[in-house]
Amino acid sequence: VRGLRASPRPRSAMPSWVIDRYGRNEVLRFTRDMALPAVQYPNEVVVKVHAASLNPIDLTMRSGYGATALNMKRDPLKIKSVETEFPLTLGRDVSGVIMECGLSVPYFKPGDEVWAAIPPWKQGTLSEFVVASANEVSFKPKCLSHVEAASLPYVGLTAWSAINKVGGLNQSNCGGKRVLILGASGGVGTFAIQLVKAWGAHVTAVCSHDASTLVKKLGADDVIDYKSGNLEEQLKALPVFDFILDNVGGSTEKWALDLLKKWSGATYVTLVTPFLINVDRLGVADGMLQTGVTIGSKTVKHLLKGVHYRWAFFMPSGSSLDEIAALVDSGKIQPVIEQVFSFSEVPKAFLKLEEGHARGKTVIDVINKK
């Protein structure tokens, strides 16, 4: 593998934000000595990161949530004698420029502007460079800057997984369907509103009152303030739904499935699942067994009541990003950004994300290192 040359002299290290242990914000450490990523497989590319963004998964990974399952994915054959993922770089979203391509990558070349969401078991994007599989990468929407583009891949692919891959909705069958989005003002919610609206659905969005203007602007037909009274009763007063996307979890699923139209193929999809918690708590084998029993029993229970119950997860996919990019360039989906931080302000950005109640994404301008 030939070395990268970002200057006249060969380099072996790059600036990066890493963690050396799990914990709160104090574990974030800036280093200029992170090893440069290199193409190790024929289908990989190296991307120079222009912008990245933060997602709730970065907070949970920083604290060690899901470490057992992610380490299994990182080293499934237990080849390493010592199990360590450190130093670990967080950050899943990237918008940047291709610097190097593996021998089996015919559709990208150095200099191409691309975007991607890097899976959580790989080194992240809060670095000068990141390596990705070419099938995780897509050409960046032409109408967006790198900062704008970096806000979309992870939330976009998470919503796409839930709505299209798991929920079965698409451009040809979504028209006229009544869709309910719980937790509509976060990153996934704001993307989901725009996606199903672009496909012709009637959208009911649940959020707090101060986010209602935003979600209406994004296309929501009805907006329900969950703080203004009993949410369950407010929603039961509306006509039944064909599809529910739940970004909230908790006690919500105890009553949300009663809002679906029975025996019509109506589907409830939740992004809040116990899979990683089970594996962390019980170990890989018992955790996966417990997860299988839970999803199986819930699926059967609700199927007998005439509705479909599903779990969804983020799935990296360059081809899905191609479809999302087309929707962005056609003006049907726009980025929703709350605040942009420079590369030197990554700890501040994490603190901002910890505050919760986001009205859009927190983006890191990596090129701006001041």
Side-chain angles (χ1 to χ4, degrees), residues 182 206 224-226 229-236 252 255:
L182 300 164
V206 174
I224 306 296
D225 177 8
Y226 67 87
N230 185 298
L231 176 59
E232 181 181 354
E233 295 304 319
Q234 290 184 76
L235 291 172
K236 280 184 175 177
T252 307
W255 51 262

Side-chain angles (χ1 to χ4, degrees), residues 139-163:
F139 290 106
K140 177 182 77 66
K142 295 180 177 62
C143 68
L144 298 185
S145 67
H146 285 294
V147 165
E148 292 170 327
S151 69
L152 285 173
Y154 189 84
V155 295
L157 288 173
T158 302
W160 191 275
S161 165
I163 294 166

Side-chain angles (χ1 to χ4, degrees), residues 38-199:
V39 168
Q40 297 185 9
Y41 299 97
N43 70 328
E44 288 184 333
V45 297
V46 174
V47 178
K48 181 175 177 60
V49 181
H50 282 232
S53 75
L54 298 184
N55 298 280
I57 189 175
D58 294 303
L59 291 178
T60 55
M61 285 182 66
R62 187 196 64 187
S63 66
Y65 170 75
T68 302
L70 293 175
N71 279 332
M72 177 188 69
K73 182 69 175 176
R74 290 175 183 123
D75 187 22
L77 300 179
K78 299 292 183 184
I79 294 171
K80 297 177 185 174
S81 57
V82 178
E83 185 178 284
T84 179
E85 59 273 36
F86 304 117
L88 179 64
T89 304
L90 302 176
R92 310 274 48 100
D93 292 300
V94 58
S95 183
V97 175
I98 296 279
M99 298 298 289
E100 186 172 8
C101 297
L103 295 175
S104 297
V105 182
Y107 35 89
F108 295 116
K109 64 183 186 304
D112 286 340
E113 294 192 333
V114 296
W115 65 343
I118 310 299
W121 53 88
K122 296 185 178 181
Q123 287 287 24
T125 60
L126 296 177
S127 285
E128 187 177 12
F129 300 96
V130 68
V131 67
S133 298
N135 58 10
E136 297 164 355
V137 177
S138 168
F139 290 106
K140 177 182 77 66
K142 295 180 177 62
C143 68
L144 298 185
S145 67
H146 285 294
V147 165
E148 292 170 327
S151 69
L152 285 173
Y154 189 84
V155 295
L157 288 173
T158 302
W160 191 275
S161 165
I163 294 166
N164 177 260
K165 301 298 183 185
V166 175
L169 296 184
N170 55 54
Q171 187 172 1
S172 63
N173 69 10
C174 196
K177 281 192 165 57
R178 289 182 52 79
V179 174
L180 171 64
I181 299 174
L182 300 164
S185 62
V188 173
T190 53
F191 185 94
I193 291 169
Q194 297 180 83
L195 179 61
V196 294
K197 198 64 192 173
W199 288 344

Side-chain angles (χ1 to χ4, degrees), residues 196-215:
V196 294
K197 198 64 192 173
W199 288 344
H202 179 284
V203 181
T204 300
V206 174
C207 60
S208 62
H209 176 71
D210 61 338
S212 60
T213 301
L214 169 64
V215 299

